[in-house]
Amino acid sequence: MAESKKFNAWLPDFGTKGWGITIACFVFFYFYSFWNAATNTLFGLFNEMYGWQQTDMSYVITIAGWISLIAVVLFGTLGRRIGAKMVSVIGLTGSATGFAVLACARTFAIFTAGVVIFNFSMVAYATIGVGLLGSSWFPRTKGAFMGIATMGMTISSATLNPIILGFAGSSLGISGFFWVMAAIVAATVVVVFLFVRNNPEEAGAYPDNDRSVSREELEAEFRAAQEYKKTSPWTMARVLKTPQTWLIGLGTGLPMMVGAGTIALLVPTLASYGQDPMLGVVLLSSMWPIGLLGHYLIGVLDQKLGTKKTTIAVICVLGLGGLLMRIGGANTVVCAVATGMFMFGLSGAANVCMSLTASIYGREDFEVAYTPIQVIFNVLNFAGVSVMSTVAALAGQQNVMLAVFIICIVALVPVIALPYRQIASNVRGM
């Protein structure tokens, strides 16, 4: 066996097929972030068009997110049986349907149905699909993979609001916007069905694009891994009893909750400090390079420092961003810097859950562990908009930023307590 080539975290070489998987997951994350990004303009437009209230719409998104926790279990189980490719195809088909329903929404009930359908099905590809593909294709370079794939979230935040405003000012309107989104997702279904493979071995490629292993050795390792999965001691019950499961879920879910909720309500929060309401839209549309830099640098740090230290850094950036805006939100420059920190921190928060799970449970037991961890993670993630809206309603919009700081301090506790070592996927002979 040839000596393994050292992986360059700054310029990752995933191989042609590996880059194809990375780009597919990039698109998945674009849709994943839809309701965190689009609310800044859609809430106001729907209020003008139909009189729907921001709080009511935010609770619909949160409740739809919580309903989709059932989908995490459903699609997690289904993904273990039919693979990442087909579970992603099913989810994308559902999301296209959800967008079509939203295109026809003229009542709050239809709006609710569209949001629920979208969020429920989105889990299949953007949570389960990404996790299975990432852990299988990039078991040792997962940090760098997630650093690139999660850029889709920042591009979503940067592009969706101007696009929505463009449609709102045209003859197509908001309905036309949702029809176009449905068509884009439908096209993604075709691409995924034709070109995506569940693992590199099926595609004739190598995990992490590491070609130091011969094809015969690779196939032998793959067979050993498949046999191990049949008798692995790591059942769902054991995973749920393991403290690492809860520490990962809480330690990554809490920063994701404050990051997502802050971005979703950035416009009204900035307005509460006396800023022009358009400042939030402008910042979301112009600060995206910092978000992209965050994805990239967090991926590099993950590879070089390990995911635990990287997660601590992410939480600190988010918390300090909240404190900075709470103190100096009346200053436009401070708002811009704090928003950049939110974009940077949210980028990292999206990276670390999958990477931590793979680090602790390994490639072969990742499938079992990721489902319950994602339930914990998404209970918090999907609560972001409603939690921050509730803080605003009870304590004032400005104190949303103080809540960000406090919750980030709390989030540091489970991450610091997490024992950072692999405890599963002990395949004999590998």
Side-chain angles (χ1 to χ4, degrees):
M1 183 176 67
E3 185 180 351
S4 178
K5 183 179 69 174
K6 185 176 180 180
F7 182 77
N8 186 349
W10 295 98
L11 294 172
D13 179 14
F14 296 137
T16 302
K17 294 176 180 178
W19 273 110
I21 295 297
T22 304
I23 292 170
C25 292
F26 173 99
V27 175
F28 292 173
F29 273 117
Y30 187 94
F31 299 130
Y32 173 85
S33 197
F34 180 86
W35 282 112
N36 286 335
T39 50
N40 281 286
T41 48
L42 282 180
F43 278 2
L45 291 168
F46 280 136
N47 179 261
E48 292 177 8
M49 294 163 61
Y50 306 115
W52 302 340
Q53 297 302 307
Q54 172 183 306
T55 304
D56 294 336
M57 288 183 282
S58 68
Y59 279 124
V60 166
I61 293 169
T62 298
I63 292 170
W66 283 339
I67 292 173
S68 71
L69 295 178
I70 301 170
V72 174
V73 178
L74 172 65
F75 290 123
T77 303
L78 190 62
R80 293 169 62 187
R81 295 180 179 179
I82 66 176
K85 170 182 172 176
M86 290 311 301
V87 82
S88 295
V89 165
I90 292 170
L92 288 163
T93 303
S95 286
T97 303
F99 276 136
V101 171
L102 287 164
C104 301
R106 300 295 182 273
T107 67
F108 196 72
I110 297 177
F111 166 79
T112 300
V115 172
V116 169
I117 293 170
F118 176 87
N119 275 16
F120 190 90
S121 56
M122 175 269 293
V123 166
Y125 56 89
T127 298
I128 302 303
V130 165
L132 295 180
L133 289 171
S135 64
S136 183
W137 278 80
F138 313 100
R140 290 182 294 276
T141 58
K142 57 198 176 298
F145 156 74
M146 287 296 284
I148 303 297
T150 54
M151 287 183 180
M153 298 178 63
T154 294
I155 296 297
S156 180
S157 296
T159 59
L160 278 176
N161 290 297
I163 292 172
I164 291 169
L165 291 174
F167 271 92
S170 73
S171 59
L172 295 174
I174 298 303
S175 178
F177 165 75
F178 281 116
W179 280 121
V180 169
M181 293 298 292
I184 292 173
V185 178
T188 306
V189 172
V190 176
V191 172
V192 169
F193 182 78
L194 292 177
F195 299 109
V196 168
R197 297 293 181 268
N198 294 322
N199 53 66
E201 290 84 356
E202 287 182 21
Y206 295 80
D208 303 304
N209 195 36
D210 181 4
R211 297 176 178 271
S212 64
V213 180
S214 70
R215 177 59 58 183
E216 292 74 18
E217 290 172 311
L218 183 66
E219 292 176 355
E221 289 184 0
F222 184 68
R223 287 193 299 270
Q226 297 308 303
E227 286 300 315
Y228 168 82
K229 287 182 180 181
K230 296 176 183 178
T231 58
S232 170
W234 287 92
T235 62
M236 185 70 73
R238 183 177 178 183
V239 168
L240 286 170
K241 293 177 183 177
T242 303
Q244 284 89 329
T245 298
W246 298 90
L247 295 174
I248 294 171
L250 293 171
T252 59
L254 286 170
M256 193 67 185
M257 179 181 77
V258 298
T262 300
I263 293 297
L265 300 176
L266 184 64
V267 171
T269 301
L270 292 178
S272 71
Y273 288 99
Q275 302 292 347
D276 189 306
M278 281 303 296
L279 177 63
V281 176
V282 171
L283 288 177
L284 288 173
S285 301
S286 62
M287 300 293 284
W288 60 267
I290 295 179
L292 290 184
L293 181 64
H295 291 294
Y296 174 72
L297 289 181
I298 294 302
V300 172
L301 289 176
D302 192 310
Q303 294 296 138
K304 292 185 173 295
L305 301 180
T307 316
K308 177 174 177 174
K309 291 180 180 177
T310 303
T311 304
I312 292 172
V314 165
I315 295 172
C316 289
V317 169
L318 277 171
L320 290 174
L323 181 62
L324 182 63
M325 186 173 288
R326 181 63 186 88
I327 295 172
N331 185 289
T332 303
V333 175
V334 170
C335 289
V337 172
T339 300
M341 296 176 73
F342 295 144
M343 298 283 269
F344 188 97
L346 181 58
S347 300
N351 288 24
V352 291
C353 184
M354 177 269 180
S355 190
L356 268 181
T357 305
S359 296
I360 302 302
Y361 286 97
R363 179 182 179 185
E364 283 70 39
D365 289 305
F366 177 91
E367 296 176 357
V368 179
Y370 199 53
T371 296
I373 288 174
Q374 275 297 299
V375 170
I376 301 167
F377 176 85
N378 280 310
V379 163
L380 299 169
N381 177 29
F382 291 134
V385 178
S386 64
V387 167
M388 294 306 167
S389 292
T390 301
V391 170
L394 296 177
Q397 194 78 41
Q398 294 186 5
N399 281 321
V400 167
M401 294 295 102
L402 181 60
V404 169
F405 178 68
I406 294 172
I407 293 171
C408 283
I409 292 176
V410 174
L412 285 172
V413 176
V415 178
I416 292 172
L418 176 68
Y420 189 61
R421 63 180 183 275
Q422 185 173 320
I423 60 174
S425 295
N426 299 310
V427 183
R428 185 174 300 175
M430 290 182 63

